[in-house]
Amino acid sequence: MKPILEVKHLTHTYSAGTPFQRSAVEDMDFAVNEGEFLGIIGHTGSGKSTLIQHLNGLLKPTEGQILLRGKDIWEEPKKIREVRFKVGLVFQYPEYQLFEETVYKDIAYGPTNMGMTGDALDHAVREAARLVGLRDDQLEKSPFELSGGQKRRVALAGVLAMEPDVLVLDEPTAGLDPAGRENLMANIRDYHRNKGKTIVLVSHSMDEIAQNVDRILVLKSAHVLMQGTPEEVFARGEELITAGLDVPQVTRIAMALQRRGLPVDPAVYTVEALEQQLQQLRKGGTVC
Amino acid sequence: MLKDITLGQYFPGNSIAHRLDPRTKILLVVLYIISLFTARGLVSYALIAAVLAVCIKVSHVGLRPMLKGMKPVLFIMVFTGLLNLFFTPGERYLIEWGALRVSDTGIKNAVFMVFRIMMLIMGTFLMTYTTSPIRLTDGLEALMNPLKKIKVPVHELAMMMAIALRFIPTLIEETDKIMSAQKARGADFESGNIFQKAKALVPVLVPLFVSAFRRADELATAMECRCYAGGEGRTKLHVLKYAGKDYIALACGIILLSGIITLRKLGI
Ligand SMILES: Nc1ncnc2c1ncn2[C@@H]1O[C@H](COP(=O)(O)OP(=O)(O)OP(=O)(O)O)[C@@H](O)[C@H]1O
Ligand SMILES: [Mg+2]
């Protein structure tokens, strides 16, 4: 698979040279492949937000490089805006960035900055609104009249409207109710499937990551702890738990069963997969 | 970024300078400033410099933050220095260069003037570096308490100051965050002329004001929920109390000022 983004020996130090100096990212190395859905998980303060702000050049590496399609994004600092249009970043709690009089205008802010006008702009805005499940009559409302969850959708649409090749989402579902979470994740999954764009999802919820992504990157205190497919990562469930992280509920059940002596493989993360294993065990005549 | 503004930042610590009562420190700074402006001769300045050096030493803040804090006023210092250097009339002129003449008193004045500003800033910074803003406000409120008699709203002023101090860092952080979010959508704050730049700030200012008002609203509700009803009859969790070290420190301050006054009479 071809990498679209490569992070090479990335280090970022906040407040360098003062008593408050600290590295939030240290010597990280990984790649994001074209068209994949990558999940990033890690403890509070492990450097997730700091890391992803490098991907579109909002933060400049203290050391190391970010390559977008093989080209260092800081090669021409003047052209960093182009990078930001290609790598769309949706911040943690993005609803606080809304500022326009109407939802429509707010979503149009990004594409307008790209130089889009007329029909193309209108199309981009309506398409993005549709993708996140906003109704047409909501487009003419003031963003400040909407509920928190709806605001979040508007903010997401504001980035989607730029049609970035890579969409980076920082905890998009934080603070939403379970139905809202699932709904938003479904929108994101659809976008990934229908448009074939690359997605990087930062999340606190192992279950959310397990259900959606192709590959997982686990961060721990500014370093990459593991990376691999969900099976590979959850096979090291014990290690994740020692690192103070969670595993999906299903994996936890499988691990507990294994501890009690059942021959199950703990590297499962969907209910179906565990069920299948258990059914097989029952057929095999083992006590369940 | 915006957060790097260090003017009057607090450096947590546990030195004797940190543990003094904030009122003591405010009074000491006042005594120190009066001494500084009373001083005339070299000996007086040397004495004050020595006292300041000792204070910096015991505060464990270190010289570097002190010097760094001076950056914003560097321009004023240079300006004052040059003005004094070139435009002080004196008996002997060492350099004459058209209208610019440097006299012996000019040099002396320039050096003393710059020195005085430096000492003034270092002294006050030492206080803000070693006192948390909340304690400083407490101290000011306690010291200004007598003014209540002449209907000065001391408590309200102190509360406003405390709230402002509490929220300035939050708002700066928020500004940073909103700017980043808009940059991610292609906002451009750097290029263009002054009008374009001002216009580019709208997407930052609107969310910032919205959030500031929301915070103010929430804070007001939270305060009301805890039955805040102004300063009348309100007691403090941390009651300020002078200890032995405060009396000693104040005595030192008074001795310094008397010493400087005496030296001034002697003309040194
Ligand atoms: N602007 C900043 N200035 C100084 N230090 C910072 C700044 N932003 C983050 N940090 C520090 O860097 C570390 C990593 O922060 P970061 O926001 O990247 O964590 P995170 O993994 O996104 O956490 P969370 O899950 O809570 O969002 C933290 O210890 C934080 O204190
Ligand atoms: Mg974060």
Side-chain angles (χ1 to χ4, degrees), chain A residues 17-20 53 56 58-59 81 84-85 89 91-92 96-99 106-107 109-110 113 144 158-159 162, chain B residues 1 4 9-12 64 68 177-178 180-188 200 202-203 206-207 210-211 214:
Chain A
T18 73
F20 305 104
Q53 285 178 62
N56 72 341
L58 280 174
L59 289 177
R81 274 178 76 201
R84 293 188 186 142
F85 297 136
L89 174 61
F91 269 78
Q92 222 163 344
Y96 297 124
Q97 70 184 38
L98 305 178
F99 71 100
D106 209 289
I107 298 177
Y109 179 66
N113 280 334
F144 300 106
V159 174
M162 304 192 301
Chain B
M1 268 197 263
D4 298 335
Q9 200 179 47
Y10 172 52
F11 282 74
R64 192 191 286 206
K68 225 180 127 199
K177 229 172 72 188
I178 297 173
S180 298
Q182 306 301 25
K183 273 194 217 158
R185 295 205 277 165
D188 183 3
V202 172
V206 173
V210 169
S211 115
R214 187 179 45 83

Side-chain angles (χ1 to χ4, degrees), chain B residues 27 33 35 45 51 61 75 77-78 84 88 107 119 127 136 142 157 201 214 216 246 250-251 266:
Chain B
L27 291 174
I33 292 175
S35 306
Y45 282 120
V51 169
V61 172
F75 172 75
M77 264 160 50
V78 171
N84 273 286
T88 315
I107 295 179
M119 302 290 282
M127 174 175 73
L136 205 57
L157 287 176
L201 280 180
R214 187 179 45 83
D246 292 301
L250 280 174
L266 297 174

Side-chain angles (χ1 to χ4, degrees), chain A:
Chain A
M1 247 193 262
K2 224 173 74 200
I4 183 163
L5 269 174
E6 286 166 89
V7 173
K8 299 210 150 152
H9 302 291
L10 180 71
T11 297
H12 189 88
T13 311
Y14 281 114
S15 323
T18 73
F20 305 104
Q21 166 172 349
R22 63 174 307 159
S23 288
V25 169
E26 256 179 64
D27 201 19
M28 282 193 189
D29 253 314
F30 67 90
V32 185
N33 294 323
E34 187 100 50
E36 86 172 330
F37 199 141
L38 177 77
I40 300 184
I41 200 154
H43 226 253
T44 289
S46 55
K48 305 183 295 289
S49 299
T50 308
L51 167 66
I52 58 167
Q53 285 178 62
H54 284 87
L55 301 183
N56 72 341
L58 280 174
L59 289 177
K60 212 168 172 175
T62 310
E63 264 169 61
Q65 284 180 315
I66 312 288
L67 307 185
L68 175 63
R69 294 220 161 89
K71 195 170 152 236
D72 186 347
I73 61 170
W74 285 102
E75 202 173 272
E76 292 170 274
K78 287 236 167 69
K79 294 207 173 154
I80 198 71
R81 274 178 76 201
E82 316 267 305
V83 174
R84 293 188 186 142
F85 297 136
K86 289 194 186 111
V87 182
L89 174 61
V90 183
F91 269 78
Q92 222 163 344
Y93 299 105
E95 50 272 30
Y96 297 124
Q97 70 184 38
L98 305 178
F99 71 100
E100 277 286 11
E101 294 151 51
T102 67
V103 169
Y104 183 94
K105 282 191 194 167
D106 209 289
I107 298 177
Y109 179 66
T112 311
N113 280 334
M114 291 174 79
M116 257 192 233
T117 48
D119 280 350
L121 178 65
D122 188 66
H123 179 75
V125 171
R126 291 191 188 278
E127 172 76 4
R130 193 186 57 75
L131 280 169
V132 299
L134 286 169
R135 290 192 316 269
D136 266 354
D137 62 297
Q138 285 173 325
L139 286 180
E140 293 313 317
K141 276 195 174 166
S142 156
F144 300 106
E145 288 170 12
L146 302 177
S147 76
Q150 288 166 333
K151 281 187 199 165
R152 178 92 44 108
R153 283 162 195 280
V154 175
L156 178 60
V159 174
L160 287 184
M162 304 192 301
E163 290 234 356
D165 296 339
V166 184
L167 177 66
V168 185
L169 302 151
D170 195 353
E171 302 194 28
T173 58
L176 296 183
D177 62 278
R181 275 165 187 257
E182 190 31 50
N183 216 316
L184 193 66
M185 279 318 298
N187 289 148
I188 294 169
R189 268 198 306 267
D190 285 348
Y191 177 74
H192 173 62
R193 252 183 235 135
N194 300 339
K195 304 256 167 180
K197 305 274 187 189
T198 313
I199 297 196
V200 177
L201 170 74
V202 172
S203 176
H204 264 146
S205 153
M206 270 293 179
D207 284 296
E208 196 171 278
I209 292 261
Q211 282 158 23
N212 291 296
V213 308
D214 305 326
R215 218 154 55 85
I216 303 180
L217 187 73
V218 183
L219 301 189
K220 188 185 175 227
S221 42
H223 293 273
V224 176
L225 182 67
M226 336 171 171
Q227 52 176 317
T229 61
E231 286 88 354
E232 283 164 2
V233 168
F234 296 132
R236 297 162 71 183
E238 297 288 351
E239 223 175 308
L240 282 173
I241 291 173
T242 353
L245 286 164
D246 212 3
V247 292
Q249 283 174 15
V250 177
T251 315
R252 222 174 321 151
I253 294 173
M255 283 164 73
L257 288 175
Q258 192 193 32
R259 263 201 306 278
R260 300 202 178 164
L262 279 186
V264 290
D265 175 14
V268 290
Y269 53 93
T270 57
V271 180
E272 292 76 27
L274 182 62
E275 190 192 347
Q276 207 184 347
Q277 279 200 31
L278 292 179
Q279 293 286 8
Q280 245 156 26
L281 270 184
R282 181 189 268 168
K283 274 189 217 131
T286 329
V287 187
C288 189

